[in-house]
């Protein structure tokens, strides 16, 4: 007999009544009484557990009834109506143990902290919380592809190994096959990367944007969705060393176009999550984030506030609030500033545009004032920055000058400059941190709990 995922059983509960089905999964809990035992089984296909009653006529009743949480079981039985919390349950006829569980299985106690679960990431997807997060993650990935594809965007794949530090932030992981104990040296005594595998110094990509621009300037609207690497030494609840980024890039679009695209994309994900993961969202609201659904529904149906960086600085200065980092025109907005604006001042997502050029990357389009660039960040309550984007500099000379003044080598960006010489066009794009979107929609407060195997400073286990 073929296994039926528990999700299918609940979805078709009426047609399956009095039918025999086979389920396979892991025991959540098991309560033994004299003549029968209650097995609560979860197979991860959905939030719900299936309650199964196994009576002592089963030949292996002793083995089944003494099993503990975590045991992997296969049970064939009859679906029947239930008087309990759920509409149906199973009368288990043929139970079997597929995989026994050792006594030191770490998930036997009901309550465990998220912190503790991070140390046992190899089994934490068995918990209600993490499996719910990963199902939402799956659906948001599907939503992403559907949202962009339905609007004519092409899904492209940009390289993960790169020779350029596009953000200019120097937070890169080196990719090298040189002998680290005895690397070849140049005459000046520096490591000679021209002898390295790629004939140049190479890194794991911190963005796919530059390559996405090249394809946008050939195919119109494209997006990449892939892993991104940053060796920033941030021990925060919002940064990972390896995270997933969604980066649309749109030819003939200006900053307002992509700010609007970003807002609609976030709203689309929220609606998609309500449609596809109602049980999970209800669980997160109950367990972690009071008012989650009310807040999200409000965001999904209202226009995002839009202010300039200069207005944001004004709001911060007028707030009279004591911040750790000084507020004055020209400083980068710190997390505390972003959170004040989105959580306390507007109590809603906010799009901040036109940042000072000195705190932004070289490729952002210079405004006529010569001081600010056409950049935008989307900030959301609880998370802070979720999207960073810009209109790209499309003027060859201005871009060249910016590369130079940012201390970058023009020769590293020759192909990127070519895009401005070979039929260039205005174009814009952004990057959305996929994990930050998951945090926002689930209400989970630590980014390490929304990716299965988080990488952060000091940790690459699993
Ligand atoms: P932050 O100020 O939070 O460090 P950033 O300005 O460095 O963000 P961008 O370079 O604009 O971020 O990257 C685009 C998006 O990628 C951000 O809006 C954020 O959602 C996400 N992001 C950036 N760095 C990380 C990280 N280390 N871990 C997870 N997501 C990240
Ligand atoms: Mg950063």
């Amino acid at each position: 007999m073929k296994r039926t995922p528990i999700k299918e059983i609940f979805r078709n509960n009426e047609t399956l009544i009095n039918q025999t089905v086979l389920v396979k999964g892991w025991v959540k809990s098991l309560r033994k009484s004299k003549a029968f035992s209650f097995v609560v089984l979860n197979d991860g296909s959905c939030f719900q557990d299936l309650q199964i009653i196994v009576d002592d006529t089963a030949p292996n009743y002793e083995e089944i009834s003494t099993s503990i949480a975590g045991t992997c079981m296969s049970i064939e039985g009859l679906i029947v109506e239930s008087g309990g919390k759920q509409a149906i349950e199973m009368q288990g006829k043929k139970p079997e143990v597929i995989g026994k569980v050792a006594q030191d299985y770490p998930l036997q106690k009901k309550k465990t902290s998220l912190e503790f679960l991070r140390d046992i990431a190899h089994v934490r997807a068995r918990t209600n919380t993490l499996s719910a997060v990963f199902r939402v993650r799956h659906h948001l990935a599907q939503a992403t592809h559907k949202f962009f594809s339905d609007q004519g965007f092409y899904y492209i794949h940009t390289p993960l190994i790169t020779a350029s530090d596009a953000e200019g932030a120097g937070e890169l992981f080196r990719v090298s096959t040189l002998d680290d104990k005895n690397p070849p040296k140049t005459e000046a005594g520096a490591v000679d990367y021209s002898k390295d595998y790629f004939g140049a110094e190479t890194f794991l990509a911190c963005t796919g944007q530059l390559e996405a621009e090249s394809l946008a300037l050939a195919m119109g609207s494209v997006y990449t969705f892939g892993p991104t690497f940053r060796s920033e030494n941030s021990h925060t609840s919002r940064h990972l060393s390896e995270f997933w980024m969604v980066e649309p890039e749109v030819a003939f679009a200006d900053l307002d176009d992509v700010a609007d695209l970003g807002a609609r994309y976030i709203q689309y994900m929220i609606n998609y999550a309500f449609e596809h993961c109602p049980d999970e969202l209800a669980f997160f609201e109950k367990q972690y984030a009071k008012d989650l659904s009310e807040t999200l529904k409000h965001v999904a149906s209202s226009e995002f506030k839009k202010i300039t960086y200069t207005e944001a600085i004004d709001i911060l200065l007028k707030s009279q609030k004591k911040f750790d980092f000084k507020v004055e025109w020209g400083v980068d907005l710190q997390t505390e500033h972003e959170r004040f604006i989105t959580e306390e001042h507007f109590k809603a997502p906010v799009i901040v545009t036109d940042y000072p050029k000195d705190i932004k990357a070289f490729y952002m389009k210079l405004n006529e004032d010569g001081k600010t660039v056409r950049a935008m960040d989307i900030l959301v309550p609880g998370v802070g920055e979720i999207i960073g984007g810009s209109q790209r500099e499309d003027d060859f000379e201005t871009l060249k000058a910016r590369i130079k003044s940012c201390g970058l080598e023009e020769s590293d960006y020759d192909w990127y400059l070519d895009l401005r010489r070979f039929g260039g066009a205005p174009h814009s794009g952004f990057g959305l941190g996929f994990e930050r979107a998951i945090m926002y929609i689930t209400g989970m407060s630590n980014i390490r709990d929304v990716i299965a195997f988080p990488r952060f400073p000091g940790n690459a286990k699993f």
Side-chain angles (χ1 to χ4, degrees):
M1 192 174 210
K2 207 169 145 252
R3 165 176 100 95
T4 304
I6 291 175
K7 177 181 167 183
E8 298 303 321
I9 296 177
F10 282 107
R11 187 186 284 162
N12 305 312
N13 58 11
E14 261 148 46
T15 54
L16 284 178
I17 289 191
N18 292 325
Q19 304 285 317
T20 297
V21 299
L22 172 67
V23 293
K24 295 182 183 181
W26 293 267
V27 172
K28 266 270 166 68
S29 65
L30 197 149
R31 213 169 71 238
K32 184 183 178 183
S33 71
K34 253 220 187 89
F36 52 85
S37 292
F38 284 112
V39 181
V40 175
L41 202 75
N42 185 284
D43 68 359
S45 64
C46 64
F47 191 80
Q48 284 155 297
D49 308 314
L50 184 64
Q51 167 143 297
I52 304 168
I53 299 145
V54 178
D55 66 42
D56 62 1
T57 54
N60 56 351
Y61 184 69
E62 181 57 23
E63 184 192 17
I64 297 295
S65 62
T66 54
S67 292
I68 59 170
T71 305
C72 185
M73 279 191 191
S74 142
I75 306 182
E76 196 181 305
L78 204 64
I79 298 298
V80 295
E81 275 180 77
S82 159
K85 259 193 265 159
Q86 293 179 330
I88 50 161
E89 60 191 21
M90 181 191 255
Q91 283 172 1
K93 301 292 180 205
K94 271 196 238 159
E96 256 168 55
V97 171
I98 297 177
K100 285 201 184 87
V101 68
Q103 287 297 336
D104 59 348
Y105 182 61
L107 291 175
Q108 297 182 43
K109 273 202 246 83
K110 271 254 150 65
K111 281 262 170 280
T112 38
S113 72
L114 291 170
E115 219 166 10
F116 168 75
L117 293 176
R118 275 173 227 143
D119 289 334
I120 50 163
H122 56 313
V123 287
R124 69 175 178 163
R126 305 257 188 99
T127 61
N128 281 340
T129 298
L130 275 298
S131 66
V133 168
F134 300 147
R135 279 189 301 273
V136 172
R137 188 178 171 112
H138 159 84
H139 285 292
L140 294 182
Q142 301 297 316
T144 297
H145 290 301
K146 193 161 162 45
F147 175 77
F148 287 108
S149 186
D150 282 358
Q151 293 178 79
F153 282 67
Y154 288 109
Y155 174 33
I156 59 163
H157 301 107
T158 49
L160 298 188
I161 298 175
T162 168
S164 57
D165 176 5
E167 291 300 315
E171 293 164 336
L172 299 170
F173 291 101
R174 171 166 291 119
V175 176
S176 174
T177 54
L178 291 181
D179 177 357
D180 59 352
K181 291 188 191 64
N182 186 22
K185 295 276 175 67
T186 62
E187 265 169 33
V191 175
D192 186 359
Y193 288 107
S194 70
K195 304 247 163 54
D196 205 345
Y197 187 89
F198 294 105
E201 197 175 7
T202 46
F203 310 94
L204 292 177
C206 65
T207 170
Q209 179 201 317
L210 305 192
E211 290 85 358
E213 282 184 54
S214 137
L215 270 72
L217 291 170
M219 301 172 73
S221 302
V222 300
Y223 70 104
T224 98
F225 180 5
T228 305
F229 306 89
R230 293 193 187 177
S231 66
E232 50 198 343
N233 201 17
S234 334
H235 296 258
T236 75
S237 55
R238 312 174 313 126
H239 288 91
L240 291 167
S241 316
E242 177 182 290
F243 63 100
W244 286 65
M245 186 142 67
V246 179
E247 294 178 278
E249 191 68 37
V250 194
F252 318 115
D254 66 14
L255 188 73
D256 287 327
D257 295 328
V258 290
D260 175 57
L261 181 73
R264 280 190 292 116
Y265 170 38
I266 292 170
Q267 292 175 320
Y268 186 90
M269 282 196 282
I270 292 172
N271 287 326
Y272 197 93
F274 275 112
E275 192 184 329
H276 292 86
C277 323
D279 294 345
E280 283 78 6
L281 293 194
F283 167 77
F284 291 124
E285 171 155 291
K286 192 168 136 236
Q287 202 76 14
Y288 297 103
K290 204 160 73 61
D291 303 330
L292 180 70
S293 61
E294 196 188 313
T295 311
L296 290 178
K297 279 182 177 150
H298 179 70
V299 169
S301 61
S302 38
E303 207 171 308
F304 283 32
K305 297 268 175 322
K306 201 190 260 176
I307 57 170
T308 63
Y309 166 88
T310 304
E311 287 165 341
I313 293 291
D314 270 352
I315 290 171
L316 293 169
L317 288 173
K318 288 205 184 105
S319 74
Q320 308 280 358
K321 214 179 140 89
K322 274 246 157 288
F323 293 108
D324 293 338
F325 288 87
K326 193 168 174 211
V327 178
E328 62 184 338
W329 200 95
V331 302
D332 203 357
L333 298 182
Q334 301 293 327
T335 304
E336 55 171 348
H337 307 140
E338 295 178 343
R339 295 190 81 149
F340 175 81
I341 291 167
T342 179
E343 274 161 37
E344 293 182 48
H345 189 81
F346 288 107
K347 300 186 172 62
V350 186
I351 304 174
V352 183
T353 66
D354 301 289
Y355 285 77
K357 71 171 195 300
D358 294 334
I359 56 169
K360 288 291 182 185
F362 73 93
Y363 51 73
M364 299 189 179
K365 188 167 179 61
L366 199 60
N367 277 317
E368 270 154 22
D369 62 13
K371 289 193 318 194
T372 57
V373 286
R374 298 248 70 197
M376 63 107 182
D377 281 358
I378 300 188
L379 316 176
V380 296
V383 176
E385 181 184 330
I386 190 166
I387 280 181
S390 67
Q391 182 162 342
R392 318 310 187 184
E393 184 56 73
D394 52 344
D395 180 75
F396 178 78
E397 292 300 337
T398 314
L399 182 61
K400 209 166 93 170
R402 280 282 284 157
I403 288 177
K404 194 158 176 225
S405 70
C406 288
L408 302 168
E409 283 302 325
E410 192 185 314
S411 57
D412 287 344
Y413 298 93
D414 52 358
W415 67 268
Y416 186 68
L417 280 159
D418 276 350
L419 298 174
R420 279 72 185 161
R421 297 195 299 125
F422 298 163
H427 60 288
S428 307
F430 64 76
L432 166 129
F434 190 54
E435 285 76 17
R436 297 219 184 145
I438 303 167
M439 287 172 75
Y440 183 52
I441 290 173
T442 58
M444 296 300 288
S445 55
N446 195 313
I447 199 163
R448 298 174 189 180
D449 299 327
V450 300
I451 187 165
F453 301 106
R455 268 76 181 103
F456 51 88
N459 183 73
K461 202 179 165 185
F462 307 108

